[in-house]
Amino acid sequence: MNVEKALEKLKEEGFKYTDKRMDMLQLFSDESRYLAAKDVLEALKDKYSGLSFDTIYRNLSLFSDLGILETTELAGEKKFRFSCSTDHHHHHLICLECGKTKHIHQCPMDSSSMTTEGFKVVGHKFEIYGYCDKCEAQTF
Amino acid sequence: MNVEKALEKLKEEGFKYTDKRMDMLQLFSDESRYLAAKDVLEALKDKYSGLSFDTIYRNLSLFSDLGILETTELAGEKKFRFSCSTDHHHHHLICLECGKTKHIHQCPMDSSSMTTEGFKVVGHKFEIYGYCDKCEAQTF
DNA sequence: GTTGCTGCAAAACATTTGCATGCAC
DNA sequence: GTGCATGCAAATGTTTTGCAGCAAC
């Protein structure tokens, strides 16, 4: 995903371009890591003094619905990042400090010995948590 | 984990036996599935008319700290269940409707091809979500 | 009697919604 | 001008905390 594709998607679906939306998309493009709503507010509050959580939440929600952002939940907080790619299923190793990620291309669901009898499976979550070298160095 | 072992653990650590704690432990023993704080309140409110979330949350938190309960977070809610066993690392397949679980004995972290360079790994989560046969039948 | 346990009330925190105004198209 | 977008304020839902009284030991 990138800003151009995201804007296309917005237009396709009949949503409008606004400065705030563009800046939010640019932020996710620049950062390329998981961000919480408060991170987005923090990043944009200087430019938009009146910017409120309402708008951020509404747009985060819209972007996820459109497949522009992917989400996860960490420590009770919803976090968002640019969708990595729409065509390849993958998982993430996530830095608990800064949200930086690393792809994991293996999916445990591919294992032939995975048994799910008695359940109708609708999804799964596989994430590895840790600290990236940078955050690890700063913290300790 | 079972009620007896949980009570031992409580006594070991100098915590007291109270009716509410015993009933909470018995509930987790009987149910053997993930429950949210509100589920616990729902189950015990008839017996204890004045029972409040404070007590439930405090005890849930205490039980987790002592390793009596294991936790997960689903749709922004913390959920708790009796620890399955302390000696065998495993994951769960979870019913999104009722919290019922099925063990998954495979752990993707065991894979030798898992690459985590650039990160200090501190944990991981692997869960499969779905609907158990019972809930599936009732819903559709 | 000491110490932990509980209820009450209030607060904290992330998130959502109603409504009136404002802006993109 | 129409309809989506935004800000404000208020509400929601879950979880936490201070404090005073109560119960387990």
Side-chain angles (χ1 to χ4, degrees):
Chain A
M1 186 56 64
N2 57 50
V3 176
E4 291 73 39
K5 271 204 254 175
L7 291 176
E8 261 174 51
K9 196 102 189 167
L10 274 183
K11 175 157 271 178
E12 264 173 35
E13 304 282 338
F15 294 102
K16 295 175 179 168
Y17 292 174
T18 66
D19 289 349
K20 282 157 199 171
R21 278 183 183 166
M22 309 239 257
D23 280 341
M24 283 181 66
L25 292 171
Q26 190 60 52
L27 175 68
F28 279 103
S29 174
D30 293 344
E31 295 290 339
S32 173
R33 58 190 177 95
Y34 277 111
L35 300 173
K38 61 168 181 258
D39 300 323
V40 176
L41 182 71
E42 186 62 29
L44 300 183
K45 71 167 189 223
D46 288 341
K47 182 159 178 189
Y48 302 103
S49 63
L51 186 61
S52 56
F53 274 116
D54 324 75
T55 302
I56 291 172
Y57 279 115
R58 272 189 277 235
N59 285 332
L60 288 175
S61 172
L62 173 66
F63 293 160
S64 321
D65 289 348
L66 295 180
I68 294 169
L69 298 181
E70 42 184 297
T71 73
T72 193
E73 219 169 306
L74 244 63
E77 249 186 358
K78 284 178 185 149
K79 299 225 169 197
F80 303 80
R81 60 161 295 138
F82 246 9
S83 291
C84 299
S85 71
T86 48
D87 55 349
H88 185 252
H89 177 72
H90 65 277
H91 296 284
H92 285 127
L93 205 167
I94 305 172
C95 177
L96 295 172
E97 184 64 29
C98 72
K100 183 180 159 186
T101 60
K102 181 179 195 301
H103 283 185
I104 303 165
H105 294 292
Q106 291 152 281
C107 175
M109 300 304 281
D110 292 342
S111 166
S112 55
S113 54
M114 187 67 61
T115 57
T116 57
E117 301 121 45
F119 278 83
K120 180 186 179 174
V121 172
V122 298
H124 65 282
K125 181 171 188 167
F126 174 41
E127 288 176 346
I128 306 179
Y129 307 110
Y131 296 94
C132 69
D133 287 345
K134 204 168 179 179
C135 290
E136 172 75 1
Q138 284 169 3
T139 316
F140 303 104
Chain B
M1 186 57 63
N2 56 50
V3 176
E4 293 71 43
K5 271 203 254 176
L7 290 174
E8 261 175 50
K9 195 104 190 165
L10 274 182
K11 174 156 268 176
E12 265 174 34
E13 304 282 338
F15 294 102
K16 296 175 176 167
Y17 292 175
T18 67
D19 289 348
K20 281 157 200 172
R21 277 182 184 167
M22 310 238 257
D23 279 342
M24 282 181 67
L25 291 171
Q26 191 59 53
L27 175 67
F28 279 103
S29 174
D30 293 343
E31 295 291 338
S32 170
R33 60 188 175 96
Y34 278 111
L35 300 173
K38 61 167 179 258
D39 300 323
V40 177
L41 182 70
E42 187 61 29
L44 301 183
K45 72 167 188 221
D46 287 342
K47 182 161 179 188
Y48 303 102
S49 63
L51 185 61
S52 55
F53 275 117
D54 324 73
T55 303
I56 290 172
Y57 278 115
R58 273 188 277 235
N59 286 331
L60 289 175
S61 172
L62 173 67
F63 295 158
S64 321
D65 288 348
L66 295 180
I68 294 170
L69 298 181
E70 42 185 298
T71 72
T72 192
E73 219 169 306
L74 244 63
E77 248 185 357
K78 285 177 185 148
K79 299 224 167 197
F80 303 81
R81 59 162 295 140
F82 246 9
S83 290
C84 299
S85 70
T86 48
D87 55 349
H88 186 255
H89 176 73
H90 65 278
H91 296 283
H92 284 127
L93 205 167
I94 305 172
C95 176
L96 294 172
E97 184 64 28
C98 72
K100 183 179 160 186
T101 60
K102 181 180 196 298
H103 283 186
I104 304 165
H105 295 291
Q106 289 153 282
C107 176
M109 300 304 281
D110 293 341
S111 165
S112 56
S113 54
M114 187 67 59
T115 58
T116 58
E117 301 119 46
F119 279 82
K120 178 184 182 179
V121 172
V122 298
H124 65 282
K125 180 170 189 166
F126 174 42
E127 289 176 346
I128 306 179
Y129 308 110
Y131 296 94
C132 70
D133 286 345
K134 205 167 179 179
C135 290
E136 172 77 359
Q138 282 168 4
T139 315
F140 304 104

